[in-house]
Amino acid sequence: MDAASQLQDALDQAVQTFAQNIGQLQLDAPPVPLGTEPISTTSPEDAQAAQEKTKAHISGTTNTLFQSFQHIATLISSLPGVDHTEEQQLELLKALDEDSRVAAEELEQAVKEAEALNRALSGNDNLGSTFSGERLE
C-alpha cells in the first residue's frame, strides 16, 4: 500500500474513532432540559460512578486519538517530496513529464514496428504456414 493510501486509512480510522466516542459520550450523558440546571435522578454514588466512568472513557479516547495523530504525523513526514519547495516539486514534475513524453514516443515507434512486422508476416503465406499451419492476420 502506498504512503498516500496509508495516510488516508489512518485519517479515516482517527475520524471513525472520534465519531464513535462522541456518540458514546452522548449516550452516556444524562438528559438535561434546555435552559435549566441538570436534574439528577440517580443517587450521588451512582452519579459519581458514572462521572468516573466518563472520565476514564475520555482519557482512553484521548490516548487513542493522540497515538493516531502521532502515526498520521509520521506518515505525513514520510511522504515523498514533503521536504521539497514548491519550485523543486515543479521541476520534478517537469522531469517526469519529459520522461513520460519520451516513453510515449518510444512506445509509438515500437507499435509502428510491430504493425509493419505483422503486415510483412501476413503477406508471406509460406512463412505463416510454417509457424501455425494458418496464415497470420
Side-chain angles (χ1 to χ4, degrees):
M1 184 181 309
D2 67 332
S5 296
Q6 289 177 350
L7 179 58
Q8 183 63 50
D9 286 348
L11 285 169
D12 289 345
Q13 185 178 9
V15 168
Q16 185 178 20
T17 299
F18 185 76
Q20 287 174 344
N21 284 286
I22 291 296
Q24 188 62 46
L25 288 173
Q26 288 174 333
L27 287 174
D28 291 345
V32 177
L34 292 176
T36 63
E37 290 295 317
I39 300 171
S40 179
T41 58
T42 60
S43 69
E45 294 83 20
D46 290 344
Q48 181 67 28
Q51 190 175 35
E52 293 299 320
K53 178 183 171 190
T54 300
K55 284 181 181 180
H57 181 78
I58 291 171
S59 178
T61 299
T62 303
N63 289 335
T64 300
L65 287 173
F66 182 74
Q67 290 172 356
S68 294
F69 293 137
Q70 281 183 321
H71 181 62
I72 288 168
T74 301
L75 290 172
I76 289 172
S77 67
S78 72
L79 288 173
V82 101
D83 57 343
H84 292 90
T85 65
E86 184 176 347
E87 188 174 302
Q88 290 171 324
Q89 290 179 7
L90 287 173
E91 289 300 320
L92 288 170
L93 287 174
K94 286 178 186 176
L96 287 171
D97 189 44
E98 179 61 21
D99 291 347
S100 177
R101 187 189 61 73
V102 169
E105 289 174 1
E106 291 173 355
L107 177 61
E108 186 177 329
Q109 184 61 34
V111 167
K112 287 179 182 177
E113 291 172 5
E115 288 172 345
L117 182 59
N118 188 27
R119 281 192 301 273
L121 290 174
S122 295
N124 187 343
D125 288 336
N126 291 335
L127 186 58
S129 63
T130 304
F131 286 118
S132 64
E134 299 179 14
R135 188 171 157 228
L136 296 175
E137 296 287 332

